Amino acid sequence: VQVCIGSGGVGKTTVAAALAARAAHAGQRAVVVTIDPARRLADALGMGGQLSGEPRRLALEGPGELWASMLDSKATFDRLVTEQAADAEQADRILANRYYRNMSGALSGTQEYMAAEELHRLAHDPRFDLVVVDTPPSRHALDFVDAPQRLVRLLENRVYRLLVSPSRPVTRAVSLAARAVLRTTSSVVGAQVIEDAVEFFTAFDGMEDGFRERARTVTKLLAGPDCAFVVVTSPRADAVDEAAVLHEALGRRGIRPTTLVVNLLHEDPLGAVQEVDRAQLASAGGVLARRWEAALALSATSRQEEAAVSPLAARFAAGAVIRIPRLVDEVRDLPGLTGFGALLTPVPR
Ligand SMILES: Nc1ncnc2c1ncn2[C@@H]1O[C@H](COP(=O)(O)OP(=O)(O)OP(=O)(O)O)[C@@H](O)[C@H]1O
Ligand SMILES: [Mg+2]
């Protein structure tokens, strides 16, 4: 698994799609999944609005396969409920519940947790050798990393347990009391909503253990050796700062980002110019002199960018920093993606 994270607009989606395309060209069966509700991935792949919760295969020439999908957190939640329920009857009761139907997409943290869950599913899908994840801008990427742990904490929360476990004799009375309390709130929220909510949580009875176990497995996957975090940044100071913050935040969670992608760099046009040439160019007049001035300015920009990035780059192993120039064209189709993918060296491990 490769997870692309970084601040807004630095090229996460493009890099994620290109990593998958590159792997496909190298013979792997790769799927790129976006958990960003923005629809950029479909654009980068030249797919129009055709991305859905089910991976779809793209027509990429080569020995491998390229697939793409977009998180459908409602469908993922439904699948999880069906899988974790004791029997079909319990699953149906939850899936048909009005509170569940209205809230399963909107409940805070659901989207993030389902992203982690979907990642787990794809990582274990025998159709794929590589799963590349495109995340929304930084802070939300961490929400996604944290979501499984937060679910575990919720499931262990005492109030939650009292509400959810009415079948246990001791808690049954409390649960009735809790219902009474909730009912007094119902003049504000509407009695039906409260009834639906209580019924929803009641219907979950017995499923906590399965959910907790799954959340632990997902957390382990994210922090484990099969998952590489790829930090994407531009050389802009704010993006670099945010990438550094992300790097630290991941570190605190026991995750070490393996690769840094510095995207949108200005190339130094003077890199290969010899000192003697410089002197000649500087003394030339007319168009040549103006070009020389422009080249000098671009060279200065490039060196400033390199200086801005270097403290961050120093946190990564030598050979784990990928530099990509600012290109003239946007990546909007498979050939473009293939070209972009060829720039991604060395390949993240
Ligand atoms: N190296 C590059 N050269 C030129 N344009 C680029 C390059 N990398 C990305 N872009 C363009 O920059 C824009 C933003 O890229 P992308 O959508 O991949 O960023 P993102 O980090 O996913 O953004 P968001 O945070 O909004 O999800 C796109 O129009 C993309 O085509
Ligand atoms: Mg994006």
Side-chain angles (χ1 to χ4, degrees):
V1 177
Q2 294 172 342
V3 183
C4 292
I5 53 168
S7 61
V10 295
K12 295 175 297 299
T13 302
T14 309
V15 168
L19 282 171
R22 188 189 167 92
H25 280 295
Q28 286 191 299
R29 297 166 304 159
V31 60
V32 50
V33 54
T34 184
I35 60 174
D36 187 354
R39 312 224 148 191
R40 244 292 286 170
L41 181 63
D43 293 344
L45 295 165
M47 287 183 78
Q50 297 169 48
L51 278 186
S52 76
E54 261 316 302
R56 195 181 273 257
R57 185 163 173 196
L58 283 95
L60 187 84
E61 299 280 329
E65 296 175 9
L66 177 62
W67 298 66
S69 75
M70 181 170 76
L71 175 69
D72 177 346
S73 61
K74 174 87 174 76
T76 304
F77 205 161
D78 288 356
R79 202 181 302 116
L80 189 63
V81 164
T82 308
E83 199 183 298
Q84 298 285 338
D87 50 38
E89 197 259 330
Q90 184 183 26
D92 289 345
R93 203 146 64 91
I94 294 170
L95 297 180
N97 178 276
R98 230 173 323 184
Y99 178 80
Y100 174 80
R101 290 219 309 268
N102 293 327
M103 297 302 285
S104 55
L107 217 54
S108 111
T110 310
Q111 177 93 12
E112 290 78 13
Y113 181 70
M114 291 310 146
E117 169 62 30
E118 182 65 9
L119 172 56
H120 176 270
R121 178 173 83 109
L122 292 173
H124 290 87
D125 189 323
R127 287 177 296 174
F128 309 120
D129 306 312
L130 174 72
V131 182
V132 186
V133 184
D134 168 39
T135 63
S138 26
R139 285 175 224 309
H140 302 292
L142 287 176
D143 286 347
F144 139 75
V145 174
D146 291 339
Q149 279 305 321
R150 242 184 288 130
L151 181 68
V152 169
R153 278 201 297 277
L154 171 72
L155 294 173
E156 278 162 5
N157 182 292
R158 273 178 37 234
V159 176
Y160 174 85
R161 295 188 80 87
L162 290 177
L163 275 172
V164 173
S165 309
S167 61
R168 284 157 216 167
V170 186
T171 52
R172 178 175 283 277
V174 185
S175 176
L176 290 174
R179 276 172 194 249
V181 171
L182 287 172
R183 279 208 194 88
T184 62
T185 332
S186 62
S187 53
V188 186
V189 210
Q192 192 57 53
V193 175
I194 298 293
E195 267 310 310
D196 289 345
V198 170
E199 198 199 288
F200 166 71
F201 286 115
T202 311
F204 253 87
D205 190 29
M207 282 171 62
E208 308 95 323
D209 290 344
F211 266 71
R212 193 164 34 215
E213 203 41 53
R214 175 55 66 84
R216 290 216 175 96
T217 312
V218 172
T219 302
K220 240 192 253 160
L221 170 69
L222 287 172
D226 290 332
C227 190
F229 278 77
V230 177
V231 177
V232 184
T233 187
S234 78
R236 275 181 51 162
D238 54 346
V240 173
D241 288 348
E242 224 171 306
V245 169
L246 263 178
H247 185 277
E248 275 153 32
L250 286 171
R252 281 196 297 279
R253 289 160 175 80
I255 296 170
R256 235 180 89 80
T258 50
T259 305
L260 175 67
V261 176
V262 187
N263 188 23
L264 298 164
L265 282 166
H266 287 91
E267 279 181 303
D268 187 346
L270 302 183
V273 179
Q274 301 293 317
E275 280 308 317
V276 53
D277 301 329
R278 292 185 182 222
Q280 274 174 0
L281 284 164
S283 60
V287 178
L288 204 53
R290 283 200 297 280
R291 290 226 176 132
W292 174 241
E293 286 304 316
L296 279 179
L298 199 53
S299 177
T301 302
S302 167
R303 274 177 284 124
Q304 277 160 15
E305 289 179 351
E306 217 27 76
V309 165
S310 70
L312 178 65
R315 299 187 192 191
F316 291 79
V321 180
I322 299 174
R323 290 178 166 77
I324 301 178
R326 182 179 289 268
L327 306 169
V328 181
D329 296 320
E330 285 213 357
V331 172
R332 267 214 214 87
D333 51 21
L334 286 181
L337 211 53
T338 301
F340 198 96
L343 299 171
L344 293 169
T345 50
V347 180
R349 300 237 121 250

